[in-house]
Amino acid sequence: MGQPGSAYSLEKPVETLETHTISVLVDNEPGVLARVIGLFSGRGYNIESLTVSETEHEAHLSRITIVTTGTPMVIEQIKNQLDRLVPVHSVTDLTVCGETIERELALVKVAGVGEKRVEALRLAETFRAKAVDASLEHFVFEITGRQSKIEQFVALMQPLGLIEVCRTGVAAIARGAERM
């Protein structure tokens, strides 16, 4: 600890990291996704999940759903910088706009025989996962839900013979009648 009255003794406040789901409505044209991703990579921001799809065919609009983590100041910077990109029509932070519906789809391949096979089937039923492919040696389960549900399912499948996982990323929409 520094001397009394010294500025060196002041502790810096610790900012907590927050996870936010941001929805961006953009023109559906070549290079738009690259510009959005470039904004993140150029500033060292991490993308935890990314989902992109055309949502309005006639208007040629796509929706990009990004899950990212940062301090409140960084999240605000991300939203402001996204809003300034030319092909962006709107930026909505779904985390702060109230109740949202978030879902992800995962395909989970599990190998197992005997008791492990029976346990994998039992857990799949509990999690409402659907077997979309099966043989005598393996299953491929399809599961949808919140990220936490999928992570829990994958963790439980690990000791039962988890082979691989393929995830779509988060799709999210705000509740209510309002449009983004």
Side-chain angles (χ1 to χ4, degrees):
M1 194 93 166
Q3 295 179 343
S6 170
Y8 296 107
S9 64
L10 299 176
E11 290 185 31
K12 293 181 182 176
V14 177
E15 290 194 75
T16 58
L17 295 178
E18 300 175 351
T19 299
H20 284 249
T21 303
I22 300 169
S23 185
V24 186
L25 195 62
V26 299
D27 289 335
N28 185 11
E29 60 186 41
V32 173
L33 181 60
R35 279 185 261 170
V36 170
I37 301 308
L39 183 146
F40 277 79
S41 66
R43 289 160 182 81
Y45 303 148
N46 189 39
I47 295 175
E48 294 179 15
S49 172
L50 176 69
T51 309
V52 184
S53 183
E54 185 176 61
T55 56
E56 297 180 38
H57 186 67
E58 287 78 29
H60 301 290
L61 295 176
S62 289
R63 184 179 182 135
I64 303 173
T65 305
I66 303 165
V67 177
T68 188
T69 300
T71 63
M73 186 179 81
V74 166
I75 298 294
E76 214 42 54
Q77 284 177 343
I78 289 170
K79 292 188 299 188
N80 290 334
Q81 290 168 356
L82 282 170
D83 211 21
R84 283 187 285 234
L85 289 177
V86 173
V88 171
H89 291 270
S90 67
V91 176
T92 306
D93 187 346
L94 295 171
T95 305
V96 298
C97 74
E99 290 290 314
T100 60
I101 300 169
E102 292 186 7
R103 295 292 182 266
E104 185 176 1
L105 172 113
L107 298 173
V108 181
K109 188 183 292 185
V110 180
V113 293
E115 285 299 314
K116 288 185 176 184
R117 183 177 178 84
V118 172
E119 182 65 8
L121 282 168
R122 187 189 67 74
L123 284 169
E125 185 177 333
T126 302
F127 278 82
R128 296 188 184 134
K130 178 181 169 186
V132 293
D133 185 45
S135 74
L136 295 175
E137 297 87 29
H138 84 282
F139 289 103
V140 175
F141 295 110
E142 174 187 294
I143 182 169
T144 58
R146 298 188 65 82
Q147 281 184 307
S148 57
K149 175 185 175 182
I150 291 172
E151 288 165 5
Q152 186 180 13
F153 182 73
V154 168
L156 289 170
M157 289 294 143
Q158 191 76 45
L160 300 177
L162 180 70
I163 297 172
E164 70 180 304
V165 178
C166 180
R167 296 172 76 158
T168 61
V170 174
I173 196 165
R175 291 186 184 268
E178 297 81 34
R179 184 182 172 99
M180 183 176 120

